[in-house]
Amino acid sequence: MISAIGIGARLHPDFGSYSGYGIPYNVVGSGTPRSTVSFAYSDESDHAGYPIPARPRIEGGSDRHLLMVDTNACRLYELYDALKTTHGWTAGSGAIWSLTSNKLRPAGWTSADAAGLPILPGLVRYDQVAAGAILHAIRFTAPQTCNEYVYPARHEAGTGSCSVRPPMGLRVRLKASVNTAAFGPQSRVILTALKRYGMMLADNGSPWYITGAPDPHWNDNELHVLGQLTGADFEVVDTTGLVNG
């Protein structure tokens, strides 16, 4: 599977200090007005009022992810391809997550991400790095995926056999033998998480692109050095038999 993603392809942080680079998120509360959203993939989307701020931060590019964390209700709202029109808000798909539960999407359902997973929990965030530890797996992309998915993913978005292409939900980790001492402090926190928790395949895209939220405090030069690592520095984690507990 490593070769299928790109054994010589370089690790790439798909985020940085520029506000338009990465997937931002919006912190909202009970006072944020709710908006009705019209979905292209209506049958696999959650229909409820979405707390979209007046000037929301939306991911640039074609995916236009819009993430909202309601800190009062402990809920995460995520939209894919979000767009405000003269008739109101539209999106490709949308998902609402309770942050007090480990409940997954129904089997076969997408979310705002191709793998049917929440996006925000997989982002590299500066506040975590500043605190000294990222305590979760990191979202990443691969050029091609197969037509199946593995836990905890709930949705596939590829073609072909999983004998030659990775499935959505594949977990990969940085090999324990990789020496990270020469990397900068921000990068070392990220690399420690990649060894301990790994990264999870959540969408089709460029090889080994790890996703994060933009923040002006990122050291872009330091993050760029992560590109010294390639697919050869990673290994697949066997998650067979894992279920929600």
Side-chain angles (χ1 to χ4, degrees):
M1 288 299 103
I2 299 295
S3 296
I5 299 171
I7 197 165
R10 297 183 180 277
L11 182 67
H12 180 83
D14 198 21
F15 58 94
S17 64
Y18 170 56
S19 62
Y21 189 38
I23 301 182
Y25 60 95
N26 302 269
V27 177
V28 300
S30 57
T32 306
R34 267 47 180 173
S35 297
T36 299
V37 181
S38 176
F39 296 107
Y41 302 100
S42 180
D43 58 333
E44 294 181 17
S45 293
D46 292 332
H47 294 265
Y50 283 73
I52 303 176
R55 294 180 178 84
R57 301 178 69 196
I58 302 177
E59 179 192 17
S62 60
D63 283 353
R64 295 186 58 82
H65 287 113
L66 172 51
L67 280 51
M68 298 145 283
V69 185
D70 186 333
T71 55
N72 294 128
C74 291
R75 287 189 176 275
L76 171 63
Y77 298 77
E78 298 187 336
L79 297 171
Y80 160 69
D81 195 21
L83 182 66
K84 188 174 185 180
T85 71
T86 55
H87 301 291
W89 282 95
T90 67
S93 55
I96 302 173
W97 309 85
S98 170
L99 299 180
T100 62
S101 168
N102 290 325
K103 184 178 180 180
L104 299 173
R105 305 289 282 167
W109 276 38
T110 189
S111 58
D113 216 358
L117 295 169
I119 297 170
L120 180 64
L123 296 183
V124 178
R125 305 200 321 263
Y126 178 77
D127 62 297
Q128 297 173 322
V129 170
I134 298 172
L135 304 178
H136 59 79
I138 296 171
R139 178 186 187 269
F140 85 103
T141 61
Q144 294 179 317
T145 54
C146 68
N147 58 359
E148 296 180 27
Y149 58 88
V150 297
Y151 176 89
R154 307 300 281 168
H155 184 259
E156 56 85 9
T159 59
S161 170
C162 292
S163 64
V164 294
R165 293 178 181 176
M168 287 293 179
L170 179 77
R171 188 179 289 234
V172 175
R173 67 185 172 200
L174 184 64
K175 293 177 180 177
S177 59
V178 174
N179 188 343
T180 63
F183 289 86
Q186 293 184 3
S187 295
R188 285 199 303 273
V189 174
I190 296 171
L191 295 175
T192 297
L194 288 175
K195 284 187 176 184
R196 183 171 299 168
Y197 301 100
M199 53 184 172
M200 196 170 297
L201 181 54
D203 199 1
N204 296 303
S206 299
W208 308 120
Y209 271 44
I210 56 175
T211 318
D215 192 287
H217 296 95
W218 286 122
N219 183 326
D220 294 324
N221 291 330
E222 182 183 325
L223 293 177
H224 182 72
V225 179
L226 289 172
Q228 293 179 1
L229 300 176
T230 69
D233 295 304
F234 292 87
E235 60 189 1
V236 173
V237 178
D238 183 2
T239 58
T240 303
L242 292 183
V243 296
N244 264 20

